[in-house]
Amino acid sequence: MSETYDFLFKFLVIGSAGTGKSCLLHQFIENKFKQDSNHTIGVEFGSRVVNVGGKTVKLQIWDTAGQERFRSVTRSYYRGAAGALLVYDITSRETYNALTNWLTDARTLASPNIVIILCGNKKDLDADREVTFLEASRFAQENELMFLETSALTGENVEEAFLKCARTILNKIESGELDPERMGSGIQYGDASLRQLRQPRSTTAQSKQQCSC
Amino acid sequence: RGEADRSRTTAKDRVQRIDPYGFERSEDFDYDSYEEFMSTYLQILTRRSIKWSKLLQGKSNVERNLKVKRYVRKGIPNEHRSLIWMTASGAQEQMEKNPGYYRKLLEAEHDAKLVDTIKTDLNRTFPDNIQFRKTAEPCLQHALFNVLVAYGHHNKNVGYCQGMNFITGYLIIVTKDEEKSFWLLEALLGRILPDYYTPAMLGLKTDQEVLGELVRLKVPAVSQIMVQHNVMWTLVVSRWFICLFIDILPVETVLRIWDCMFYEGSKIIFRVALTLIKHNQALILQGKNFPDICDKFKEIIHGAFVEDCHAFMQKIFTEPGSLSMTTVNKLREMCRARILSQEQ
């Protein structure tokens, strides 16, 4: 359990039922396609430590149930999320049409500053496509989202989606746009960063604590 | 060589890879402790089976009395399970009062959106059960689809809610009959459980809070650590309520819990939850932070304590102490009012 990291980010995976949220998470964490499993009820956790721009970041990822009515229950998990994968299924227009609602939930319940990447999943099923890349890309632009088409089956762009989101958050921290110390930012310093980053800033209480032990 | 191998067979060689209900045993299944448990449990099952046969003596109904209640708590043999669930829950009575109703629901025109929603979950319901595979003959996915569609049209207020698929799946496995499964689902959702599955899920939210209150009264240290680390009850127990312990506890244990739930009602769910929490109090209290505590709640649903369904079912009536329906109802009323006022 002696893993050290500079930051811990809380991530959400949200979107309609059957879009492949759990499979994306599984592919990201286990590096394989999760076949044959029950759908998610409530919420599941996953975590992985990644290297982004020279920093180690622990992603704590919350995978949520997609059925509409569960939103009233899962909404309580949104608070304090730093990033989110907003997932739709490129072969289902209905899941695409629901995006606006999910987006509103994320921005109002998690944080207005939440960094969101839109994922058009099931890229491998191009023959059954109901949502074009261009259309979704436009939606992403209009709503200030990053955008990728992913395949939890082949793994295409899955790692990229999580990393891109993490990288953006990190950039925002470095530029001062995001303050990790603000309550509910969804960002925490890890042990490593307490040593490396915060040591020079001798005024904060926590670095004093670090020194004394 | 063959001889030598046979004398050195392990529990894993002797125990079937697929359980009696069609579920494949998981990769981390503990064959040794299962074999040990079964060696004593089989005797219990045989004894219970004889007792039940004497009690029923070919009757197709069973009275409600202390003796039957005691019998139910000690487990209904699988061969009588369907019958007892049907009669104890009132499902049998409803089915007899409404002949042909289930068929009519199936034959009527179906709401396309409802059908779509149900279809999304068909392949994601027990893919680890060979009876639900597309290649199975008969494939229970069809029965599952029918019962869910029928129920969705019967109770339009609920329609379809995830979780109902798992519950219906179990009902089909046990009764091997679509119509009975439909009426049992109707008994559960219509009478036994509060409104867990309606769009607002108010009953679910309420019962999660009620559990929180009960833990505060009965296992205060756990209640404290949850508050201290800001762990919402919904995060760790919503599946317990929504799935009635399916995919949480071992199959046999779930069925034994359901035996009591059909006979005694929804407070059994609290008994089970409280037993899991109280028995594992020390372990939960080791949780150092938020995700750690969540992990502990995953740990407490595995292992010998829950595998030994017979001992576990005795525990649920002793470990949590007294729990009257009056208490549960009072807490439900209080929590419901609190949630409604917060949501406004």
Side-chain angles (χ1 to χ4, degrees), chain A residues 36-37, chain B residues 119-127 132 134 141:
Chain A
D36 297 343
S37 59
Chain B
K119 278 189 176 159
T120 306
D121 286 343
L122 283 184
N123 285 322
R124 313 195 289 167
T125 309
F126 304 140
F132 284 83
K134 283 218 172 81
Q141 274 194 15

Side-chain angles (χ1 to χ4, degrees), chain B residues 215-228:
Chain B
V215 172
R216 203 160 60 91
L217 293 169
K218 290 173 184 283
V219 207
V222 170
S223 184
Q224 252 169 27
I225 198 174
M226 299 289 278
V227 173
Q228 188 193 334

Side-chain angles (χ1 to χ4, degrees), chain B residues 14 20 40 59 64 70 91 118 129 133 135 147 202 205 298 307 332:
Chain B
R14 291 184 296 267
T40 53
K59 278 184 290 190
R64 291 187 72 90
R70 199 177 69 236
I118 292 169
N129 188 304
R133 301 246 164 91
T135 47
V147 175
L202 187 56
K205 290 183 201 162
K298 291 224 161 127
E307 287 287 344
R332 275 180 173 159

Side-chain angles (χ1 to χ4, degrees), chain A residues 112-133:
Chain A
N113 299 319
I114 186 170
V115 174
I116 304 173
I117 182 158
L118 179 66
C119 296
N121 195 33
K122 308 197 187 176
K123 185 175 195 289
D124 49 286
L125 298 177
D126 198 55
D128 303 321
R129 181 187 282 278
E130 286 184 5
V131 183
T132 67
F133 182 89

